Amino acid sequence: MAEMLLPASQQRRVKAMTAAAGSAGRAAVSLLLCALLAPGGTYVLDDSDGLGREFDGIGGVSGGGPNFGASLHILKVEIGGDGQTTDGTEPSHMHYALDENYFRGYEWWLMKEAKKRNPNITLIGLPWSFPGWLGKGFNWPYVNLQLTAYYVVTWIVGAKRYHDLDIDYIGIWNERSYNVNYIKVLRKMLNYQGLQQVKIIASDSLWESISASMLLDAELLKAIDVIGAHYPGTHTVKDAKLTGKKLWSSEDFSTFNSDTGAGCWGRILNQNYINGYMTSTIAWNLVASYYEQLPYGRCGLMTAQEPWSGHYVVESPVWVSAHTTQFTQPGWYYLKTVGHLEKGGSYVALTDGLGNLTIIIETMSHKHSKCIRPFLPYFNVSQQFATFILKGSFSEIPELQVWYTKLGKSSERFLFKQLDSLWLLDSNGSFTLELQEDELFTLTTLTTGRKGSYPPPPKSQPFPSTYKDDFDVDYPFFSEAPNFADQTGVFEYFTNIEDPGEHRFTLRQVLNQRPITWAADASNTITIIGDYNWTNLTIKCDVYIETPDTGGVFIAGRVNKGGILIRSARGIFFWIFANGSYRVTGDLAGWIIYALGHVEVTAKKWYTLTLTIRGGFASGMLNDKSLWTDIPVNFPKNGWAAIGTHSFEFAQFDNFHVEATC
């Protein structure tokens, strides 16, 4: 131990961190004084008494890639159900009962891209919302169990048939009620379709209810392969352990991706197993690729929220992920000898059973590792020396590679830095590390670790102040137009065979009934676009109401809310209706009425709407003729542009154009 203490400290503190104030001095302090000032513990890593649970991998809700950065083992995707699911809606593969289309949305593309980078990545599908026809008039997916199971199985079969994607796990209903009989029906239908290899994870909510149900029902216990809980705070419950099933934190993190978010992620990746026996942790979300002012802005492991500029940021949680993901694989096993450090922090160790060993040590402080949920009880972390002794099949390991992260002040900050390796031949399989707050170490026999390099990303740019889209795309790569973010309803590229002229290619709202919702979707459909800081702007768009008498459409500016808050969105909304009326409102719901009147409007005819907002006043034009002028609008002061419909109804939009002056 004494022989290893000074070299280990010198390697890290002198060679790697000479810039850190006082580091060399600390390394030179006598061993006796070090031991007195910062006592630590001794931790044995041993497989003589067998191994712990099998490791199932680290994942993200949308993302993956090997030995470059995050190197995730698992990609979990939403099975689009046409409803609002936090920051927008994702389209279903079956909008209507007889409709099937396996090219909508971006999840198919994303899974294929993930497979290119990591052919072994595990794929999980989970519904948040469901198309309305499954509910037969009720906001409930369990009205017809066979029908809902069929809907989910078609998604799995379509993934294979159209994209050659094998789905490994399927979920029930994200953070909502499960139905015991539905789970059994789903298992039987999967088996009947030859999909015995597709495993069921339930219930993507809390531990308690699903675990108790499984212990009381042998058929249910057999049908479910993994119990998945969300935001478990690193702990599980007795019933979950009694089932004997794999336990996963099937959604976690969702924390702003600063260094505090990275600290949260580093802490729970270790302690979800130490405290709760969870063998997989999946982050929501991998890449924050949505307007930042929507709920949970920048709560991804990295950020790429400017498709117009191409700017992105590889945030610190990516490199925290790498400490585990680059040096383990699903199928490895945790050692039984894992736990907490005496002065705060934790350690885990995993092996492939073939002689390889990976040790991950974290000392994340309470202040710098709070996740967004749940509440984190106070704990203390302080400087310490930790001695690790390798026994069993690991006692003859000659060398360990060392990777290091220090979060916090920029002058002391390092992200996934490779240090000099540790030689163990003369130390009887032991080594000592000096540990301080907010550090992360990986020590491993694997030599394949790599901190991927990449060219500087394009500079960050605001959304263009002049933006046009005529939707003239004959064979679109994606079903939805770029930069539009659907918040209720689904807006897709549409080929209008009835109009071979100017409006042959349009953007169409395609839902004709309310989906089975996961969140509080609005009663109107709406898609937002632009810069949230826009104040003065002119929005112009051609609109086409398809529903006689009751149909209606709008254009809007200064829209101030989206995501799960969309029902309460304020802004300036300019509506026209098929019954020959118009309305100007201060909110999406239509409660705040600024103006209304009659106008020559009918269904199945194209009109051009123009909305101009300057300072505290707004004006509107129909077919380039003034319809209403200088209406006072004092709130909100800024927000997105938007288009949408009065209800869940078919309508088309074309030649969208916005000019913003600030």
Side-chain angles (χ1 to χ4, degrees):
M1 169 182 164
E3 290 177 345
M4 288 304 299
L5 175 60
L6 188 58
S9 182
Q10 283 177 332
Q11 285 167 357
R12 180 161 71 86
R13 295 295 172 189
V14 180
K15 293 183 181 180
M17 294 187 288
T18 53
S23 59
R26 283 199 300 273
V29 177
S30 73
L31 301 184
L32 177 61
L33 185 57
C34 281
L36 291 173
L37 292 177
T42 300
Y43 311 94
V44 176
L45 302 176
D46 192 357
D47 61 351
S48 301
D49 191 33
L51 299 172
R53 294 192 175 215
E54 183 180 4
F55 176 66
D56 295 307
I58 306 303
V61 181
S62 297
N67 280 17
F68 184 89
S71 305
L72 297 189
H73 308 126
I74 298 170
L75 171 61
K76 180 177 180 178
V77 303
E78 176 180 344
I79 300 176
D82 294 335
Q84 169 63 243
T85 56
T86 301
D87 289 300
T89 66
E90 290 201 32
S92 170
H93 63 290
M94 296 179 73
H95 292 319
Y96 331 109
L98 300 178
D99 165 58
E100 288 188 54
N101 183 322
Y102 297 93
F103 295 91
R104 294 183 181 128
Y106 60 86
E107 301 291 9
W108 310 108
W109 169 83
L110 193 60
M111 287 188 282
K112 288 187 288 188
E113 291 296 318
K115 280 287 187 181
K116 288 178 185 177
R117 289 155 178 79
N118 179 5
N120 297 318
I121 198 166
T122 297
L123 298 179
I124 306 174
L126 174 65
W128 267 248
S129 63
F130 296 84
W133 59 271
L134 286 172
K136 298 186 180 296
F138 295 91
N139 194 43
W140 192 244
Y142 306 127
V143 173
N144 184 323
L145 304 183
Q146 296 279 348
L147 193 62
T148 299
Y150 167 78
Y151 165 81
V152 170
V153 170
T154 60
W155 184 86
I156 298 171
V157 172
K160 182 64 175 178
R161 179 177 299 163
Y162 295 98
H163 303 284
D164 197 27
L165 293 166
D166 293 301
I167 304 302
D168 299 292
Y169 292 87
I170 199 73
I172 307 304
W173 189 12
N174 183 63
E175 296 176 349
R176 298 295 180 262
S177 300
Y178 64 90
N179 179 290
V180 168
N181 291 326
Y182 168 72
I183 296 172
K184 296 174 182 177
V185 167
L186 178 61
R187 179 71 270 167
K188 289 176 182 176
M189 192 173 291
L190 287 167
N191 293 346
Y192 180 77
Q193 292 292 330
L195 297 169
Q196 292 88 347
Q197 78 281 2
V198 178
K199 298 177 180 179
I200 291 178
I201 181 168
S203 66
D204 283 292
S205 186
L206 303 176
W207 299 115
E208 287 82 356
S209 179
I210 190 67
S211 302
S213 295
M214 291 169 69
L215 292 175
L216 295 171
D217 188 327
E219 185 182 354
L220 181 68
L221 182 69
K222 185 178 180 182
I224 295 172
D225 299 277
V226 174
I227 303 177
H230 286 194
Y231 307 96
T234 77
H235 293 281
T236 187
V237 297
K238 182 180 178 181
D239 279 356
K241 289 182 280 187
L242 287 174
T243 65
K245 298 290 183 175
K246 290 177 177 289
L247 309 178
W248 289 7
S249 177
S250 53
E251 184 178 313
D252 221 324
F253 182 64
S254 71
T255 300
F256 190 78
N257 56 25
S258 62
D259 274 12
T260 298
C264 152
W265 188 230
R267 177 175 56 80
I268 64 178
L269 285 182
N270 267 20
Q271 296 192 27
N272 274 350
Y273 182 75
I274 295 166
N275 300 338
Y277 303 99
M278 286 165 264
T279 55
S280 176
T281 299
I282 301 174
W284 187 93
N285 54 74
L286 177 64
V287 184
S289 291
Y290 44 92
Y291 291 117
E292 187 170 337
Q293 294 82 6
L294 288 168
Y296 304 101
R298 274 188 56 190
C299 286
L301 300 183
M302 66 175 286
T303 304
Q305 59 190 19
E306 294 182 15
W308 52 88
S309 72
H311 178 72
Y312 63 91
V313 183
V314 180
E315 310 281 5
S316 50
V318 165
W319 302 116
V320 168
S321 304
H323 273 275
T324 298
T325 56
Q326 288 203 21
F327 309 105
T328 58
Q329 287 296 325
W332 284 43
Y333 279 81
Y334 284 98
L335 271 58
K336 290 182 179 178
T337 49
V338 301
H340 293 273
L341 300 169
E342 285 188 9
K343 297 292 184 178
S346 67
Y347 65 97
V348 295
L350 301 95
T351 181
D352 62 356
L354 302 173
N356 284 308
L357 175 69
T358 291
I359 308 160
I360 304 118
I361 304 162
E362 61 82 20
T363 57
M364 300 305 161
S365 63
H366 183 272
K367 181 179 180 181
H368 296 135
S369 72
K370 290 181 182 177
C371 303
I372 196 169
R373 66 176 76 86
F375 172 77
L376 181 62
Y378 182 75
F379 59 86
N380 187 58
V381 177
S382 56
Q383 181 189 4
Q384 60 192 302
F385 288 88
T387 298
F388 293 86
I389 302 174
L390 307 186
K391 290 192 173 182
S393 69
F394 311 121
S395 60
E396 302 299 320
I397 289 176
E399 181 182 11
L400 290 173
Q401 308 297 313
V402 183
W403 291 82
Y404 174 71
T405 287
K406 169 71 172 179
L407 301 173
K409 297 177 182 177
S410 58
S411 60
E412 302 174 355
R413 190 171 183 260
F414 291 90
L415 294 175
F416 198 55
K417 181 179 180 64
Q418 186 169 18
L419 306 184
D420 291 342
S421 58
L422 280 178
W423 287 89
L424 305 178
L425 288 174
D426 301 322
S427 65
N428 297 318
S430 73
F431 60 91
T432 296
L433 294 177
E434 179 189 0
L435 304 174
Q436 311 224 16
E437 286 187 358
D438 301 322
E439 292 184 330
L440 197 59
F441 278 92
T442 297
L443 302 102
T444 180
T445 55
L446 298 182
T447 59
T448 52
R450 181 163 71 101
K451 185 172 184 179
S453 60
Y454 49 91
K459 290 184 178 180
S460 175
Q461 299 285 344
F463 194 94
S465 58
T466 298
Y467 187 82
K468 297 180 181 180
D469 196 336
D470 59 12
F471 312 114
D472 286 357
V473 183
D474 202 349
Y475 297 101
F477 190 78
F478 291 107
S479 59
E480 296 164 289
N483 300 315
F484 283 91
D486 301 352
Q487 300 302 307
T488 297
V490 174
F491 295 75
E492 295 180 349
Y493 283 116
F494 181 65
T495 302
N496 193 345
I497 57 175
E498 297 178 0
D499 188 339
E502 180 187 3
H503 300 296
R504 177 170 174 79
F505 299 110
T506 66
L507 190 69
R508 190 186 194 212
Q509 200 295 117
V510 297
L511 300 190
N512 61 355
Q513 66 180 120
R514 186 178 181 84
I516 297 170
T517 58
W518 180 82
D521 296 42
S523 299
N524 331 84
T525 74
I526 178 173
T527 184
I528 61 172
I529 190 169
D531 190 327
Y532 189 78
N533 295 313
W534 279 348
T535 296
N536 298 325
L537 69 161
T538 296
I539 306 151
K540 189 173 185 177
C541 189
D542 298 340
V543 298
Y544 184 86
I545 302 168
E546 296 190 35
T547 306
D549 301 325
T550 59
V553 297
F554 71 82
I555 64 174
R558 294 188 186 174
V559 178
N560 73 340
K561 290 182 183 177
I564 52 178
L565 307 174
I566 189 60
R567 285 184 71 90
S568 59
R570 296 284 300 273
I572 298 94
F573 295 81
F574 176 19
W575 311 74
I576 58 171
F577 299 91
N579 66 3
S581 65
Y582 77 90
R583 187 169 294 190
V584 185
T585 68
D587 62 336
L588 176 62
W591 293 107
I592 303 169
I593 300 174
Y594 292 141
L596 49 80
H598 296 285
V599 69
E600 291 289 328
V601 167
T602 185
K604 300 189 181 298
K605 185 176 178 181
W606 282 98
Y607 299 92
T608 301
L609 297 183
T610 306
L611 171 64
T612 299
I613 308 169
R614 292 284 182 274
F617 297 91
S619 302
M621 293 194 293
L622 176 67
N623 292 341
D624 296 323
K625 294 181 179 179
S626 178
L627 184 61
W628 50 275
T629 59
D630 294 333
I631 289 178
V633 288
N634 296 316
F635 182 84
K637 301 295 186 185
N638 56 276
W640 297 290
I643 56 177
T645 66
H646 176 57
S647 63
F648 288 93
E649 60 184 281
F650 299 130
Q652 296 177 54
F653 303 85
D654 203 0
N655 298 317
F656 178 85
H657 180 196
V658 61
E659 292 272 357
T661 55
C662 64

